[in-house]
């Protein structure tokens, strides 16, 4: 059976993880119906989404679809009947999850994937009592779900390939990196690795070898920096010199037999718990959880932007997401551009072209409650991008060492745009020659057609290697000239 395309996500359980899923899905244009047995969770999830917005808004400036809408219900069945994909995030207890999942499976149509955020339970156990159990799988995310792209995808004995593919597609759409786990094992992959580290921490704190702060330093100042871009295996391959992993294993392999690590976890005595709590309180140094979360979110955004430059790890995920968002915006602008070129061929003008539809997103607002200055540049830039992609200035052209650089922008502000306001951009090509193109964009409010702002922009064609102006490809110039004739 082919599974549904996801427009509305249903959340079962709206605690820390449910809140994170909501923020991520809404940001990338998916509506969310959040369901929890406790009515007070509505306020909580709305707060969690608002809290995530600050960091999410800085993650990417690629053109996003309109933000999704959030609704809340305590009626789990009603949620299950109206959504296209269900993500379960209730407490980590097998019997509870089995019962609740079986219940919603009787309401959700069979082409709705049901994914569990479980950190360690097995999908084969979770799907036991389900109606259409083949659509159940584990989609294990990481906190904060709205910033970390990793989601482990694990199928159970009855899970269909179609459900796994549909889940991978949906998670990719909301900016994630689905990691397919080949077979179900308790703890999946990542938590098994994290637990090994944590177990050693507990032993060392228990034996007074080190404090929690010292052990965190042993990662943060060293391996942690490497891990964002390369994992332990590739890093050890580098550590082996020219012969890589083979040499590494010969040299350090014997240490694995030495008693460096312990496989059994220590007893969680009151004394050990006290040491762990006192240690982490000292590390927090009076900062609240909220403050520390903001700090964490800020550096997680910054790191992903750096990694994007290197097209590695989470940065590669971000780059692929942005490429898709730009391509989607360009695809939406294609029809008016094609129509205009056809009109021009028949000697007729089409006037300014409506290239971009958008809505003022909450994170675009400044302290006056209006759309903030740099977002105007972003919106005009998105219209330019769609137009230039159409004439052939796409990734392939750029990777051939040619590009158009902005040399001048003049923005004139005429009216206000408030949060939620639908807007559109119309564009004209005013002038084009061998090395230059001049565009005029106008941003209008959809409700009354009022001109909100206009932007005149000049781009110069460059050879990126030489860092100098250079003539553009003939085909690109010709397309731009057609658009100039069409939008005269
Ligand atoms: N916290 C993490 O770092 C993390 C990371 C990855 C995965 N997970 C997994 O996500 C799941 C949820 O964890 P959490 O940290 O968000 O827990 P949480 O306690 O913050 O949230 C659980 C929510 O489920 C609700 N709930 C309880 N019973 C319910 C029911 N019968 N129907 C609907 N809602 C119900 C509770 O009211 C609560 O809001 C667990 O399976 C956990 O293993 C947690």
């Amino acid at each position: 059976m082919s599974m549904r395309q996801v427009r509305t996500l249903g959340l079962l359980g709206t605690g820390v993880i449910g809140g994170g899923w909501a923020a991520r899905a809404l940001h990338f244009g998916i509506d969310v119906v959040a369901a929890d047995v406790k009515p007070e969770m509505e306020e909580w999830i709305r707060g969690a989404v608002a809290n995530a917005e600050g960091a999410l808004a800085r993650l990417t400036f690629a053109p996003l679809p309109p933000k999704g809408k959030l609704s809340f219900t305590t009626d789990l069945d009603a949620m299950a009947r109206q959504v296209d994909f269900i993500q379960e995030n209730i407490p980590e207890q097998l019997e509870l999850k089995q019962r609740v999942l079986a219940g919603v499976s009787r309401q959700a149509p069979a082409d709705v994937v049901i994914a569990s955020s479980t950190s360690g339970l097995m999908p084969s156990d979770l799907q036991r009592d389900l109606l259409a159990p083949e659509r159940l799988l584990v989609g294990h995310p990481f906190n904060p779900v709205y910033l970390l792209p990793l989601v482990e995808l694990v199928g159970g004995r009855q899970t269909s390939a179609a459900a796994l593919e549909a889940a991978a597609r949906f998670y990719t759409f909301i900016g994630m990196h689905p990691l397919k786990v080949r077979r179900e094992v308790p703890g999946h992959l990542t938590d098994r690795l994290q637990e090994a580290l944590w177990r050693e921490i507990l032993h060392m704190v228990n034996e007074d070898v080190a404090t929690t702060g010292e052990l965190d330093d042993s990662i943060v100042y060293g391996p942690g920096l490497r891990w964002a871009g390369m994992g332990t295996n590739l890093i050890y391959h580098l550590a082996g010199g020219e012969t890589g992993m083979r040499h590494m294993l010969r040299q350090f392999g014997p240490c694995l037999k030495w008693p460096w690590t312990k496989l059994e976890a220590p007893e969680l005595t009151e004394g050990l718990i006290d040491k762990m709590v006192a240690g982490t309180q000292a590390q927090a140094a009076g900062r609240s959880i909220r403050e520390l979360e903001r700090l964490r979110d800020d550096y997680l955004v910054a790191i992903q932007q750096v990694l994007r430059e290197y097209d590695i790890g989470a940065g590669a995920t971000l780059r692929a997401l942005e490429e898709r968002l730009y391509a989607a915006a360009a695809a939406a602008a294609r029809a008016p551009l094609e129509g205009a070129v056809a009109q021009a061929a028949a000697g007729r003008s089409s006037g300014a072209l409506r290239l971009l539809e958008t809505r003022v997103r909450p994170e675009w607002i400044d302290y006056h409650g209006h759309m903030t200055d740099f977002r105007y540049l972003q919106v005009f830039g998105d219209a330019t991008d769609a137009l230039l992609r159409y004439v052939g200035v796409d990734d392939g052209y750029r990777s051939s060492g040619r590009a158009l650089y902005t040399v001048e922008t003049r923005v004139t502000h005429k009216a206000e745009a408030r949060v939620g306001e639908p807007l559109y951009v119309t564009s004209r090509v005013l002038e084009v020659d061998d090395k230059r193109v001049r565009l005029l964009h106008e941003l209008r409010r959809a409700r009354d057609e009022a001109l909100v702002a206009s932007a005149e922009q000049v781009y110069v064609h460059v050879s990126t290697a030489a860092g100098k102006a250079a003539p553009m490809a003939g085909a690109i110039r010709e397309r731009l000239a057609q658009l100039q004739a069409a939008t005269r």
Side-chain angles (χ1 to χ4, degrees), residues 106 374 384 415:
R106 279 166 177 69
F374 83 95
T384 299

Side-chain angles (χ1 to χ4, degrees), residues 15-17 36-37 41 76 89-92 97 100 117 119 140-141:
V16 174
I17 294 304
D36 200 291
V37 280
M41 292 313 284
L76 309 187
N89 327 278
I90 64 173
E92 188 79 346
K97 284 198 197 269
V100 174
S117 295
S119 301
H140 177 230

Side-chain angles (χ1 to χ4, degrees), residues 1-6 84-86 108-115 131-137 159-170:
M1 172 185 281
S2 71
M3 309 307 282
R4 287 187 188 196
Q5 201 192 333
V6 185
D84 306 315
F85 190 107
I86 295 175
D111 61 351
V112 170
V113 169
I114 303 181
L131 197 67
E134 68 282 355
R135 40 68 182 264
L136 181 125
L137 48 93
T159 308
S160 68
L164 286 165
E165 271 160 35
R169 250 196 328 274
F170 169 59

Side-chain angles (χ1 to χ4, degrees), residues 69-394:
K69 288 186 191 60
L70 173 65
S71 58
F72 181 89
T73 176
T74 50
D75 184 344
L76 309 187
D77 289 351
M79 176 279 286
R81 285 193 293 268
Q82 54 177 307
V83 300
D84 306 315
F85 190 107
I86 295 175
Q87 185 77 37
E88 168 274 309
N89 327 278
I90 64 173
E92 188 79 346
Q93 297 155 23
L94 181 60
E95 292 74 28
L96 174 70
K97 284 198 197 269
Q98 279 173 327
R99 181 164 49 76
V100 174
L101 287 169
V104 296
S105 77
R106 279 166 177 69
Q107 305 297 327
D111 61 351
V112 170
V113 169
I114 303 181
S116 171
S117 295
T118 177
S119 301
L121 300 172
M122 313 275 269
S124 292
D125 295 332
L126 294 174
Q127 68 195 163
R128 199 189 60 188
D129 303 327
L130 250 64
L131 197 67
E134 68 282 355
R135 40 68 182 264
L136 181 125
L137 48 93
V138 167
H140 177 230
F142 293 80
N143 195 32
V145 181
Y146 52 90
L147 288 182
L148 294 188
L150 180 62
V151 53
E152 290 178 304
L153 263 194
V154 200
R157 275 191 292 280
Q158 303 183 68
T159 308
S160 68
L164 286 165
E165 271 160 35
R169 250 196 328 274
F170 169 59
Y171 292 139
T172 304
F173 184 83
I174 57 171
M176 301 183 88
H177 177 83
L179 176 61
K180 288 190 185 146
V181 179
R182 288 162 189 268
R183 65 190 167 92
E184 50 184 338
V185 286
H188 322 313
L189 306 184
T190 311
D191 279 352
R192 185 163 163 185
L193 296 178
Q194 292 202 113
E195 190 184 283
L197 199 59
W198 198 38
R199 191 179 57 227
E200 295 305 321
I201 286 173
L202 290 167
H203 274 299
M204 286 194 267
V205 170
N206 201 32
E207 293 158 13
D208 291 321
V209 174
T211 64
T212 60
E214 288 157 1
L215 291 165
D216 280 355
D217 285 352
S218 79
I219 298 296
V220 166
Y221 288 93
L225 285 174
R226 300 192 298 222
W227 280 338
M230 295 182 186
T232 296
N233 297 307
L234 192 54
I235 284 289
Y236 281 2
H237 180 57
L238 299 185
E242 277 307 306
T243 44
M245 179 56 91
R246 193 167 290 286
H247 176 72
M248 182 70 190
L249 282 168
R250 269 207 204 101
Q251 191 175 8
F252 294 104
C255 309
L256 295 170
K257 299 279 185 197
W258 300 347
W260 278 11
T261 56
K262 309 198 174 176
L263 282 174
E264 290 291 323
E267 207 52 53
L268 282 183
T269 59
E270 286 305 315
L272 173 54
I273 293 172
D274 286 347
K275 279 197 228 174
M276 290 297 295
V277 171
T280 41
Q281 264 170 1
Q283 287 178 267
R287 292 167 295 179
S288 68
I289 296 282
R290 271 275 178 265
E291 269 176 88
L292 290 168
E293 276 175 353
R294 269 198 295 276
L295 178 63
R296 175 202 64 190
D297 287 4
D298 285 347
Y299 77 71
L300 285 176
V301 167
I303 285 175
Q304 289 182 70
Q305 282 165 355
V306 171
L307 294 173
R308 175 177 48 188
E309 297 302 311
Y310 297 91
D311 202 11
I312 196 169
T317 308
L318 186 54
R319 213 187 240 213
L321 168 74
E322 291 182 339
E323 184 48 36
R324 192 201 81 220
L325 291 167
Y326 281 114
R334 223 181 150 78
L337 286 159
E338 272 170 354
V341 168
Q343 291 280 340
R348 288 190 290 268
S349 160
S350 337
L353 301 173
R354 191 160 165 156
L355 294 189
L356 190 87
E357 310 283 329
T358 188
R359 219 172 247 276
V360 182
R361 295 172 66 96
E363 66 266 20
W364 292 5
I365 292 302
D366 64 12
Y367 40 78
H368 302 303
H370 304 150
M371 185 159 141
T372 200
D373 287 3
F374 83 95
R375 297 292 183 174
Y376 284 87
L377 287 179
Q378 179 185 332
V379 170
F380 290 129
D382 290 346
T384 299
D385 190 81
L387 188 144
L388 292 182
R389 276 173 192 252
Y390 174 73
V391 301
V393 184
D394 53 16

